[in-house]
Amino acid sequence: MDVIGTRSSMLILREAFYGTTRFDDFARRTKITDAIVATRLKELTDIGLFVRRPYQEPGKRSRHEYLLTEKGRDLVPAVFALMQWGNKHLQGEGGGPLRLVERGTGEPVVIGPRTASGRDLELEDLAIVAHGDWADPQSG
């Protein structure tokens, strides 16, 4: 949470989920200063959410773009669940300015708990259990 829990990190991740890859676009779209964008991109890259890849436009110097790794893409449900919550509870009746929909159909996408087989669950259906070494009383 120290790295991804900041507002600026969440904005950068959100933009990456929308397809942004270049430094200048992150700064422009998030309205965050270049210094903070640079710091956050470095931190997010250092923890493995982004990978840097060089690119060069004709007649310009070589630069880097930032691509989400599998680890970064795995944050999609968490970030969009927060957006869904904010739209429902902080934006009023009409919801927020952005909605998550299926690209092909426009059908709203709902983020929530479900089993590995795809069955939707309610909070009352969930249990948290120890796993691995945490479940083994001999390991401690």
Side-chain angles (χ1 to χ4, degrees), residues 30-122:
T30 61
K31 296 181 173 69
I32 300 171
T33 66
D34 287 359
I36 292 175
V37 170
T39 299
R40 293 297 174 259
L41 283 171
K42 182 181 181 333
E43 291 170 346
L44 295 168
T45 300
D46 287 349
I47 64 169
L49 301 182
F50 285 102
V51 62
R52 285 176 18 134
R53 182 175 73 186
Y55 73 94
Q56 187 171 12
E57 294 179 359
K60 296 195 176 186
R61 68 180 175 90
S62 180
R63 302 185 75 177
H64 287 92
E65 61 183 351
Y66 296 84
L67 305 171
L68 285 165
T69 62
E70 180 182 358
K71 185 177 181 178
R73 294 173 71 85
D74 283 347
L75 277 172
V76 165
V79 172
F80 284 134
L82 287 171
M83 182 177 112
Q84 177 180 292
W85 178 86
N87 284 348
K88 180 177 180 180
H89 295 289
L90 303 177
Q91 298 293 330
E93 266 186 54
L98 303 175
R99 292 189 181 142
L100 183 62
V101 298
E102 183 181 6
R103 185 181 308 276
T105 66
E107 182 178 358
V109 173
V110 177
I111 307 295
R114 80 178 37 92
T115 64
S117 64
R119 194 167 33 89
D120 290 337
L121 301 173
E122 297 296 326

